[in-house]
Amino acid sequence: MNDTPGWTSPGSAPSDGQDGSGVPRPSAPADANGSAPQWSKDQPPAGQWSPPTDRTPQPAGPGPNWGAPRPDVHWGKPPAAKPGVIPLRPLGMGEILDGAAKTLRIYWRTVLAITVTVAVISQTVDILAQRYLVPAPPEISADATPAEELQQSLDAAQSSLIGLAPSLLVTLMASTVSAALLTVVISRAILGRPVALGSAWQEARPRLLQLVGLTLLLAVMGAAVVTVGILPGLLVGGAPGVALVLLGGLGSLAAAVWLMVRFSLASPALMLERQGVTQSLKRSAKLVQGSWWRIFGIILLTQLLIFLFAMIIAIPFTIVGIAVDGEGFSGLLSGSATRFGWPFLIVTGIGGVITSAVTYPISAGVTVLLYVDQRIRREALDLELARAAGLPGYGPTAADRTVGG
């Protein structure tokens, strides 16, 4: 008996009072002898039914076209065009990460020329700042009270931040220049067009000052939001002040993250659409609207992967640096006023160059591809990119007014 009324699979035995279709047989009037008419003896036996179609014997087992798609021109969707490192359609998170990594792998000469140069400059400045600008940690006496130890630690942290300020500024500028050049390279990689280092520099140079201003504006904006959040707690002081600092710090940190994600696409908008700083911020806010959580998740996952990769590289180089500069490490453990020497700084600096050379293009690639993905979803940029790439079937090649020029 079937669960579905009115349907029985071909070849199944009829149930009592039913034919092969599963529908009850109609009752027939009795004949002259008073007996109900019997079904013909020519009825096929149960389980031997076959549909009245072609009776040509079929070969056993799957045929040569077994599993082939239906031969219909309208069956399914045609594959998206892919002139470069990504398909020209809305992208998934894995495709964005893969596109960034593929750009590094295919155009490694240009990409590494940019990132290694920038990383060497920033790491050199960082090593010099740590050696000559950052003061040695203060000696903590054995009879110091907990309050004195805390105050000395705060003073040491403040001195370190002041000493590292030039290094942080140079690193910020270096990463900005790297992002500008890599944006040009990645925009060409989307179209399948390689670009030399000189061409990328000529393309990015006119907008470098604007990009630096945008980067500094975002940094100041985030710092101002956090400062406003913790300032009331600092003014109150005491136990209530500590509670206000914690609450205000968490709230302001959440607000700063929201702003950074909202304006995360301003950099590629400035570089690729040739807009000003204010227009780029508005453009990013418009593209991110309605997709904040998706963009936040992709950025968070990317930064987590970059952090894990940085730790994988940094830990072995740190161990080697300690091994070759054991005197400085033992002095720090004993609490004496000393610092790491040149061997440790050089070894860890080499690890930093390797890390930056790989993570810079991944971070920049994800940002640019997120920008392209949002424009494909909202503005059908894929059609313009296909025309710019010269693909057949998309009309005449557009003038250099799309991503990649």
Side-chain angles (χ1 to χ4, degrees), residues 215 217-223 225 253-266 284 288 292 295 299:
T215 304
L217 177 61
L218 291 176
V220 171
M221 189 183 304
V225 170
L253 182 61
V257 170
W258 182 83
L259 284 176
M260 293 304 103
V261 174
R262 182 175 176 83
F263 298 134
S264 60
L265 305 183
S284 176
V288 173
W292 190 95
I295 295 175
I299 293 176

Side-chain angles (χ1 to χ4, degrees), residues 77-98:
K77 294 182 179 180
K82 189 177 180 182
V85 295
I86 59 169
L88 300 184
R89 55 170 172 75
L91 303 174
M93 181 174 61
E95 291 173 322
I96 291 176
L97 293 173
D98 179 70

Side-chain angles (χ1 to χ4, degrees), residues 205-295:
R205 182 171 55 85
R207 284 174 291 279
L208 276 179
L209 289 180
Q210 289 181 320
L211 186 60
V212 170
L214 174 64
T215 304
L216 292 177
L217 177 61
L218 291 176
V220 171
M221 189 183 304
V225 170
V226 174
T227 301
V228 170
I230 65 176
L231 186 60
L234 296 177
L235 296 178
V236 171
V242 173
L244 286 177
V245 167
L246 292 177
L247 293 177
L250 291 176
S252 60
L253 182 61
V257 170
W258 182 83
L259 284 176
M260 293 304 103
V261 174
R262 182 175 176 83
F263 298 134
S264 60
L265 305 183
S267 173
L270 185 146
M271 293 297 301
L272 300 176
E273 298 184 24
R274 299 171 174 84
Q275 299 191 14
V277 174
T278 304
Q279 291 79 5
S280 299
L281 292 173
K282 295 179 179 178
R283 182 74 166 131
S284 176
K286 181 179 179 181
L287 292 174
V288 173
Q289 185 177 5
S291 302
W292 190 95
W293 282 107
R294 177 176 178 271
I295 295 175

Side-chain angles (χ1 to χ4, degrees), residues 89-91 96 294 369-377:
R89 55 170 172 75
L91 303 174
I96 291 176
R294 177 176 178 271
L369 294 180
L370 271 174
Y371 162 83
V372 172
D373 173 65
Q374 287 301 112
R375 288 196 61 186
I376 288 176
R377 293 172 183 270

Side-chain angles (χ1 to χ4, degrees), residues 304-377:
L304 178 60
L305 293 176
I306 290 175
F307 173 77
L308 293 177
F309 177 81
M311 290 297 99
I312 292 173
I313 299 297
I315 291 175
F317 278 91
T318 302
I319 294 175
V320 173
I322 292 174
V324 299
D325 190 19
E327 181 179 353
F329 183 69
S330 61
L332 288 178
L333 291 179
S334 63
S336 60
T338 185
R339 69 181 84 197
F340 284 112
W342 286 109
F344 177 83
L345 295 177
I346 292 175
V347 171
T348 54
I350 294 173
V353 170
I354 296 175
T355 301
S356 300
V358 177
T359 57
Y360 278 172
I362 299 298
S363 179
V366 169
T367 302
V368 175
L369 294 180
L370 271 174
Y371 162 83
V372 172
D373 173 65
Q374 287 301 112
R375 288 196 61 186
I376 288 176
R377 293 172 183 270

Side-chain angles (χ1 to χ4, degrees), residues 37-74:
Q38 302 296 319
W39 289 94
S40 172
K41 297 180 179 180
D42 296 332
Q43 293 293 323
Q48 302 296 322
W49 182 89
S50 59
T53 56
D54 184 15
R55 304 299 180 90
T56 304
Q58 299 294 328
N65 296 326
W66 181 267
R70 172 180 167 183
D72 189 345
V73 294
H74 301 291

